[in-house]
Amino acid sequence: MEKNKDSIILGIESSCDDTSASVIKNGMLLSNVVANQSVHHQYGGVVPELASRAHQENIVPVIDVAIKNAKIELTELTAIAFTRGPGLLGSLLVGTSFAKSLSLSLDIPLIDVHHMKAHIHAHFIQENNIEKKAPEFPFMCLTVSGGHTQIVYVKSPLEMEVIGTTIDDAVGEAFDKAGKIIGLGYPAGPLIDHHAKKGDSTKYNFTYPKAGQLNYSFSGLKTQFLNFINKEKIHNANFIDEELNNICASYQSHLIKYLLKNFEKALALYPCKDLAIAGGVSANSELRLQLKKLGEKLNCNIHVPKMEFCTDNAAMIAMSGYFLEKEGLFTGLDATPSARIPM
Ligand code: KG4
Ligand code: ZN
């Protein structure tokens, strides 16, 4: 890209069950539109085939509104950034195919984006009239979503090292699956967060699974939770109804302590002045509170994304696109989506 030329990027996100489009000009947000898919609620989880069909229905209107809200013409775009993975293959295919055809018709470059790196790039989105201090490099980011749980050492916008990860389920799944066991809707993370605010987090105890130095394991916790609920229900059939807030508070507090226990260990090995969280679970109020306390204890600056940039959104994809465009890192029309892509 020519120096001094404006960068105007359209970001397209379709990795799971949110269809989103966003326009970012020189790192500044012009629009961000997200269409959620309510069709999955009745199934207690995302149904991949239904997700890709809903993306097909939503993608044209979502992009149309994003362009209109940004008050630009399609012809002003300098590049199109899309999520190539990780995610659900059928869902990724919709965004990838659309991005390719639009780049071909506008004759502008394509940029393929890694969804989990983009969650971290969400910290760099600038908005008009909102003062936002981006993290300083190197910083440590706890990236927590429905599909991933990672401790990432971020050396520069494009240099990231995963130093801890889950060996099985993601922490978002640990929230969602526990929620299903106690009859909460999907996604259960925000609902557990809501009930936990009214409960006693010290009432019930769980143990920490072992997964090695900085890694996590959540599948055992889900079983531990199921066994605990079944055992209590033998004595009291109304246990869930009567104890819902305390159950949520105790389980949530345990998950957050586990997350931050390894995060703190990582910081001892890789000291950083700036700490960040990213991904859907970073919307959790207890995680935000405990991170703030950790920042105070370690005398570090903390960075928490704005709510709309925690869960899946295309603004973070456009932001990744902005960093990649600066380095001339484009992709070709032969780009293929991938369900799994290493960082
Ligand atoms: O990043 P995201 O939107 O999608 C993926 O890339 O997976 O994350 C979705 C996950 C879900 O598991 C959802 O339950 C969780 O984020 N989540 C929360 C909260 N808000 C969303 N978990 C705990 N507390 C919340 N407030
Ligand atoms: Zn995500």
Side-chain angles (χ1 to χ4, degrees), residues 115 119 145-147 172 175-176 187-190 193 279-281 283-284 310-312:
H115 181 86
H119 269 301
S145 74
F175 271 101
D176 296 336
D193 192 355
V281 180
N284 185 269
C310 287
T311 45
D312 290 346

Short mmCIF file of all heavy atoms in Angstrom, two decimals, residues 115 119 145-147 172 175-176 187-190 193 279-281 283-284 310-312, ligand 1:
data_model
loop_
_atom_site.label_atom_id
_atom_site.label_comp_id
_atom_site.label_asym_id
_atom_site.label_seq_id
_atom_site.Cartn_x
_atom_site.Cartn_y
_atom_site.Cartn_z
N HIS A 115 -9.01 -15.56 13.50
CA HIS A 115 -10.05 -15.09 14.42
C HIS A 115 -9.52 -14.79 15.84
O HIS A 115 -9.92 -13.79 16.45
CB HIS A 115 -11.16 -16.15 14.48
CG HIS A 115 -12.31 -15.80 15.35
ND1 HIS A 115 -13.37 -15.05 14.92
CD2 HIS A 115 -12.56 -16.07 16.66
CE1 HIS A 115 -14.22 -14.89 15.91
NE2 HIS A 115 -13.76 -15.49 16.98
N HIS A 119 -9.33 -11.20 18.03
CA HIS A 119 -9.87 -10.88 19.36
C HIS A 119 -8.88 -9.99 20.12
O HIS A 119 -9.28 -9.07 20.83
CB HIS A 119 -10.14 -12.16 20.15
CG HIS A 119 -11.54 -12.71 19.96
ND1 HIS A 119 -12.66 -11.98 20.28
CD2 HIS A 119 -11.99 -13.90 19.50
CE1 HIS A 119 -13.75 -12.71 20.02
NE2 HIS A 119 -13.37 -13.88 19.55
N SER A 145 -12.80 -17.68 24.97
CA SER A 145 -14.03 -17.64 24.17
C SER A 145 -14.74 -18.98 24.25
O SER A 145 -14.40 -19.83 25.07
CB SER A 145 -13.68 -17.30 22.73
OG SER A 145 -13.08 -18.41 22.12
N GLY A 146 -15.72 -19.16 23.35
CA GLY A 146 -16.46 -20.42 23.33
C GLY A 146 -15.65 -21.54 22.71
O GLY A 146 -15.98 -22.72 22.88
N GLY A 147 -14.59 -21.21 22.00
CA GLY A 147 -13.79 -22.24 21.33
C GLY A 147 -12.34 -22.29 21.79
O GLY A 147 -11.63 -23.24 21.49
N GLY A 172 -15.41 -21.00 27.75
CA GLY A 172 -16.78 -20.64 27.35
C GLY A 172 -17.69 -21.86 27.35
O GLY A 172 -18.85 -21.80 27.77
N PHE A 175 -18.73 -22.75 30.83
CA PHE A 175 -19.89 -21.94 31.25
C PHE A 175 -21.16 -22.50 30.59
O PHE A 175 -22.16 -22.75 31.26
CB PHE A 175 -19.71 -20.47 30.79
CG PHE A 175 -18.98 -19.60 31.78
CD1 PHE A 175 -17.64 -19.29 31.62
CD2 PHE A 175 -19.65 -19.07 32.88
CE1 PHE A 175 -16.97 -18.47 32.52
CE2 PHE A 175 -19.00 -18.24 33.79
CZ PHE A 175 -17.65 -17.94 33.61
N ASP A 176 -21.10 -22.68 29.26
CA ASP A 176 -22.32 -23.05 28.52
C ASP A 176 -22.84 -24.44 28.90
O ASP A 176 -24.05 -24.64 29.03
CB ASP A 176 -22.06 -22.97 27.00
CG ASP A 176 -21.75 -21.55 26.55
OD1 ASP A 176 -22.17 -20.61 27.26
OD2 ASP A 176 -21.09 -21.38 25.52
N PRO A 187 -26.46 -18.73 24.88
CA PRO A 187 -25.27 -19.13 25.63
C PRO A 187 -25.45 -18.81 27.11
O PRO A 187 -26.00 -17.77 27.47
CB PRO A 187 -24.16 -18.28 25.01
CG PRO A 187 -24.85 -17.07 24.47
CD PRO A 187 -26.25 -17.47 24.11
N ALA A 188 -24.97 -19.73 27.95
CA ALA A 188 -25.24 -19.60 29.38
C ALA A 188 -24.26 -18.67 30.10
O ALA A 188 -24.55 -18.25 31.23
CB ALA A 188 -25.22 -20.98 30.03
N GLY A 189 -23.14 -18.36 29.46
CA GLY A 189 -22.13 -17.49 30.13
C GLY A 189 -22.75 -16.24 30.72
O GLY A 189 -22.62 -15.98 31.93
N PRO A 190 -23.43 -15.43 29.91
CA PRO A 190 -24.00 -14.18 30.47
C PRO A 190 -25.06 -14.44 31.54
O PRO A 190 -25.21 -13.63 32.46
CB PRO A 190 -24.65 -13.51 29.25
CG PRO A 190 -24.10 -14.20 28.04
CD PRO A 190 -23.63 -15.54 28.46
N ASP A 193 -23.30 -15.35 34.77
CA ASP A 193 -22.75 -14.07 35.26
C ASP A 193 -23.85 -13.29 36.01
O ASP A 193 -23.65 -12.78 37.12
CB ASP A 193 -22.26 -13.28 34.03
CG ASP A 193 -21.42 -12.07 34.37
OD1 ASP A 193 -21.27 -11.77 35.57
OD2 ASP A 193 -20.91 -11.42 33.45
N GLY A 279 -11.96 -11.87 23.89
CA GLY A 279 -12.86 -12.99 23.59
C GLY A 279 -14.16 -12.89 24.38
O GLY A 279 -14.27 -12.08 25.32
N GLY A 280 -15.15 -13.70 24.00
CA GLY A 280 -16.49 -13.63 24.58
C GLY A 280 -16.54 -13.65 26.10
O GLY A 280 -17.29 -12.88 26.72
N VAL A 281 -15.72 -14.50 26.72
CA VAL A 281 -15.77 -14.62 28.19
C VAL A 281 -15.17 -13.38 28.88
O VAL A 281 -15.40 -13.15 30.07
CB VAL A 281 -15.09 -15.95 28.64
CG1 VAL A 281 -15.12 -16.10 30.16
CG2 VAL A 281 -15.76 -17.15 27.98
N ALA A 283 -16.28 -10.65 28.64
CA ALA A 283 -17.43 -9.83 29.04
C ALA A 283 -17.83 -10.14 30.49
O ALA A 283 -18.63 -9.42 31.09
CB ALA A 283 -18.62 -10.13 28.12
N ASN A 284 -17.28 -11.20 31.06
CA ASN A 284 -17.69 -11.64 32.40
C ASN A 284 -17.30 -10.62 33.49
O ASN A 284 -16.14 -10.23 33.60
CB ASN A 284 -17.05 -13.00 32.71
CG ASN A 284 -17.52 -13.57 34.02
OD1 ASN A 284 -16.91 -13.34 35.05
ND2 ASN A 284 -18.63 -14.28 34.00
N CYS A 310 -16.05 -7.69 22.76
CA CYS A 310 -15.68 -8.94 23.48
C CYS A 310 -16.14 -10.13 22.66
O CYS A 310 -15.36 -11.00 22.30
CB CYS A 310 -16.35 -9.00 24.84
SG CYS A 310 -15.68 -7.90 26.06
N THR A 311 -17.45 -10.17 22.38
CA THR A 311 -17.98 -11.31 21.61
C THR A 311 -17.69 -11.06 20.12
O THR A 311 -17.20 -10.01 19.73
CB THR A 311 -19.49 -11.49 21.87
OG1 THR A 311 -20.10 -10.21 21.82
CG2 THR A 311 -19.75 -12.10 23.23
N ASP A 312 -18.04 -12.05 19.28
CA ASP A 312 -17.62 -11.99 17.88
C ASP A 312 -18.15 -10.75 17.16
O ASP A 312 -19.34 -10.43 17.25
CB ASP A 312 -18.04 -13.27 17.16
CG ASP A 312 -17.23 -14.45 17.65
OD1 ASP A 312 -16.21 -14.22 18.32
OD2 ASP A 312 -17.62 -15.59 17.38
O1 KG4 B 1 -15.84 -14.94 21.35
P1 KG4 B 1 -17.22 -15.49 21.31
O2 KG4 B 1 -18.35 -14.56 21.00
O3 KG4 B 1 -17.33 -16.65 20.27
C1 KG4 B 1 -16.30 -17.57 20.07
O4 KG4 B 1 -15.33 -17.21 19.33
O5 KG4 B 1 -16.39 -18.64 20.70
O6 KG4 B 1 -17.47 -16.21 22.74
C2 KG4 B 1 -18.67 -16.82 23.05
C3 KG4 B 1 -18.57 -17.37 24.48
C4 KG4 B 1 -19.77 -18.23 24.89
O7 KG4 B 1 -19.28 -19.43 25.46
C5 KG4 B 1 -20.47 -17.37 25.94
O8 KG4 B 1 -21.15 -18.13 26.93
C6 KG4 B 1 -19.32 -16.61 26.54
O9 KG4 B 1 -18.51 -16.28 25.42
N1 KG4 B 1 -19.74 -15.39 27.24
C7 KG4 B 1 -19.63 -15.24 28.59
C8 KG4 B 1 -20.19 -13.97 28.90
N2 KG4 B 1 -20.61 -13.38 27.74
C9 KG4 B 1 -20.31 -14.27 26.73
N3 KG4 B 1 -19.14 -16.06 29.53
C10 KG4 B 1 -19.17 -15.63 30.80
N4 KG4 B 1 -19.69 -14.45 31.18
C11 KG4 B 1 -20.21 -13.59 30.28
N5 KG4 B 1 -20.72 -12.41 30.68
#
